[in-house]
Amino acid sequence: MKNSRQIQPPVSEIKLGQLSPVECVRLSNNIPLYLIEAGTEDIMRIEFIFKAGQIEEYLPLVASTTNMMLTEGSQNYTANELNSSLDTHGAFINLSADRDNAGLVIFLLSRHLRKITELCFEILFKPVFPGKELDILMKKRKKWFQISRQKVNNLSSDQFFESVFGKHHPYGRQISLKDFPLIHTSVLKDFHSTHYTPAGMAIIISGKIHPDTVDIMDKYFGLIIEKTIYVEPAESYIKGGEKKRIIIKKQNALQSSLRIGSMTINKSHPDYPGLKILNVILGGYFGSRLMKNIREDKGYTYGIHSSVNSLALGGYKVISAEVSRVNIRKAIDEIYREIRILQTTPVGDNELDLVRTYMTGEMVRMFDGPFAVAESFKSVWEFGLDYEYYYRFAEIVKTITPEEIQQLANDYYNIDDLYEIIVG
């Protein structure tokens, strides 16, 4: 035992490996159903996706409130009956509405698929949006909003999106107190009937698939008749704010919240994998340059992070941190210094090898289990891509050169184009 501790374990190259296949079936009304057979336990994960996110709303709060109210009663079940039946059958449900899409994810035992599918049909296509429950929800949301306005990181994040995408674009539009009284049952019903439809719907199922899954899904969702409704196309023209440097004073704030970034490409662009690699080097993991410089060496912040994010109508990159008032300008100067170094000096081999290993390991983790596989499939399916994207990504991680990273830094991190938001 003592000798074995002195022997280094074997080191193997991390490989993405063979990904679980995805079978696509069309229901009778053409709704795409994606099946990922993976896992040995009697558990399934079903995700219902609709094009009903923030980009589709004509009033702030409509998309998220519509989604949150789906389980507050249907034509055949009260809210208590829905929740009680889900609990009885051991199902766990998660509603969500983001900038592009909305829907729900449900985890269930395979043997209860038929009953759970019936409940999901009631939740998604038969909600009643009761006024009393809506009033209670909106009072809570208004209170949460007022509390969130006291936090500098929320204020800086909201201002960042407004600056980058424009205050009239759904991605950049901020919520205000005057928006809450505008949300009524009729507004939610209108949004629901327009956007929770077969035309904008997809279903992704993973886990140990029940043998009758396709038939059960077709029985409940394949016979829905599409209503012909003219929908005004979502505003896709993005015009960021002209002011690049914004300071919002917040009395009694212990720290200042910082956001630096701008619009960028999304996953559909061939440079996106390389930009993600560049981001990891800059501030995308604990060993990044920003963390080493601004956290470890200078002690200006407890944590600093950068990310590159993909949306349907474009992407954005952002560097975020909370810094004391006396050090905020010093931290900003160091951020720009690190960007300039990436633009002028090629990344060293040792650092790049570490980033390659980290990113490859993260990609392997993205496919660890059937539910993770479903999430990874969804993240490329939304952009019209398939699994081959991940193999291409992995190959770029393996082969990208320091010179290519330097060129990407010059192409996508023009400091004059970056928005700088300080709240505190």
Side-chain angles (χ1 to χ4, degrees):
M1 183 69 177
K2 183 177 180 180
N3 291 334
S4 66
R5 292 180 179 178
Q6 300 175 0
I7 302 174
Q8 178 178 315
V11 177
S12 303
E13 180 185 358
I14 302 175
K15 296 182 179 180
L16 195 56
Q18 183 66 40
L19 304 182
S20 301
V22 179
E23 179 186 3
C24 180
V25 178
R26 292 280 176 174
L27 301 185
S28 296
N29 56 1
N30 211 36
I31 293 176
L33 170 63
Y34 299 96
L35 302 171
I36 304 172
E37 179 71 57
T40 58
E41 301 298 327
D42 184 30
I43 301 173
M44 296 173 64
R45 175 190 186 274
I46 306 177
E47 181 167 9
F48 300 92
I49 306 167
F50 296 85
K51 294 179 180 178
Q54 181 180 331
I55 189 63
E56 304 293 344
E57 64 184 12
Y58 53 90
L59 288 174
L61 299 169
V62 172
S64 58
T65 306
T66 300
N67 186 263
M68 295 171 75
M69 285 291 295
L70 290 176
T71 54
E72 294 297 334
S74 72
Q75 292 181 12
N76 296 303
Y77 293 91
T78 65
N80 287 336
E81 289 171 340
L82 283 173
N83 293 320
S84 177
S85 188
L86 290 170
D87 289 342
T88 299
H89 291 87
F92 172 77
I93 191 170
N94 182 36
L95 295 164
S96 65
D98 57 30
R99 287 183 169 83
D100 292 320
N101 299 308
L104 71 82
V105 177
I106 190 161
F107 299 87
L108 64 145
L109 297 173
S110 301
R111 60 179 177 271
H112 296 317
L113 176 62
R114 194 175 301 275
K115 180 60 179 179
I116 296 302
T117 302
E118 180 215 336
L119 295 175
C120 288
F121 175 75
E122 287 283 332
I123 291 169
L124 292 171
F125 285 95
K126 301 291 184 180
V128 293
F129 304 110
K132 180 181 178 181
E133 283 75 8
L134 177 58
D135 290 341
I136 294 172
L137 174 62
M138 294 312 295
K139 288 178 181 177
K140 289 181 180 178
R141 296 199 72 185
K142 185 177 180 180
K143 189 66 175 178
W144 296 336
F145 174 77
Q146 291 173 315
I147 293 172
S148 74
R149 297 304 88 189
Q150 305 305 312
K151 299 178 181 179
V152 292
N153 61 325
N154 291 331
L155 295 174
S156 63
S157 180
D158 289 350
Q159 182 58 56
F160 173 79
F161 282 104
E162 178 183 305
S163 296
V164 170
F165 293 103
K167 63 181 180 180
H168 299 299
H169 192 278
Y171 288 165
R173 187 169 51 208
Q174 291 200 47
I175 297 170
S176 66
L177 286 174
K178 63 181 176 59
D179 296 319
F180 289 84
L182 302 178
I183 305 301
H184 300 285
T185 295
S186 59
V187 174
L188 302 188
K189 287 183 176 180
D190 179 64
F191 184 85
H192 178 270
S193 64
T194 303
H195 298 290
Y196 283 76
T197 67
M201 180 182 180
I203 308 171
I204 301 174
I205 303 179
S206 61
K208 191 173 182 180
I209 307 296
H210 189 286
D212 297 329
T213 294
V214 176
D215 290 339
I216 292 172
M217 289 293 149
D218 199 57
K219 174 184 176 182
Y220 287 98
F221 297 102
L223 302 180
I224 304 172
I225 299 174
E226 182 68 52
K227 297 178 182 178
T228 303
I229 301 175
Y230 173 73
V231 180
E232 189 72 25
E235 176 62 64
S236 60
Y237 179 69
I238 298 173
K239 180 176 172 55
E242 295 182 1
K243 191 174 182 181
K244 296 290 186 179
R245 307 290 180 260
I246 297 176
I247 298 176
I248 300 174
K249 294 184 178 181
K250 181 67 177 174
Q251 295 297 326
N252 302 320
L254 298 178
Q255 294 195 97
S256 294
S257 181
L258 173 66
R259 297 291 186 275
I260 294 176
S262 65
M263 271 197 64
T264 193
I265 55 178
N266 65 13
K267 288 179 183 176
S268 61
H269 195 286
D271 283 350
Y272 190 79
L275 186 59
K276 292 286 282 188
I277 298 168
L278 170 62
N279 172 74
V280 171
I281 296 169
L282 177 62
Y285 77 126
F286 196 78
S288 69
R289 293 188 178 190
L290 291 179
M291 284 290 283
K292 288 179 178 178
N293 181 345
I294 298 174
R295 181 185 189 272
E296 297 178 15
D297 294 345
K298 304 296 189 306
Y300 293 157
T301 182
Y302 183 77
I304 184 168
H305 180 74
S306 69
S307 64
V308 174
N309 305 278
S310 195
L311 298 171
L313 301 182
Y316 65 93
K317 56 185 181 292
V318 60
I319 299 166
S320 58
E322 273 68 53
V323 185
S324 66
R325 180 177 61 84
V326 295
N327 291 323
I328 188 71
R329 180 47 57 184
K330 296 176 184 177
I332 292 171
D333 291 342
E334 290 300 320
I335 290 170
Y336 292 148
R337 189 173 79 86
E338 291 295 346
I339 292 173
R340 291 189 182 99
I341 291 173
L342 284 168
Q343 292 171 334
T344 57
T345 306
V347 178
D349 291 338
N350 290 339
E351 181 182 13
L352 186 53
D353 287 342
L354 179 61
V355 169
R356 292 189 209 277
T357 301
Y358 168 78
M359 293 192 70
T360 306
E362 285 295 294
M363 290 187 70
V364 171
R365 188 174 62 84
M366 290 169 60
F367 295 91
D368 184 17
F371 303 156
V373 171
E375 281 289 345
S376 297
F377 169 73
K378 175 191 172 185
S379 71
V380 291
W381 164 81
E382 291 177 317
F383 296 90
L385 304 168
D386 56 23
Y387 271 158
E388 292 302 314
Y389 172 83
Y390 290 109
Y391 290 116
R392 293 192 300 272
F393 198 123
E395 185 62 22
I396 292 172
V397 170
K398 184 178 179 180
T399 60
I400 194 169
T401 66
E403 292 73 24
E404 289 172 328
I405 293 172
Q406 184 179 348
Q407 186 60 53
L408 288 166
N410 282 280
D411 290 344
Y412 292 101
Y413 277 89
N414 184 348
I415 291 175
D416 292 337
D417 293 337
L418 299 177
Y419 291 89
E420 180 185 300
I421 313 297
I422 302 172
V423 178

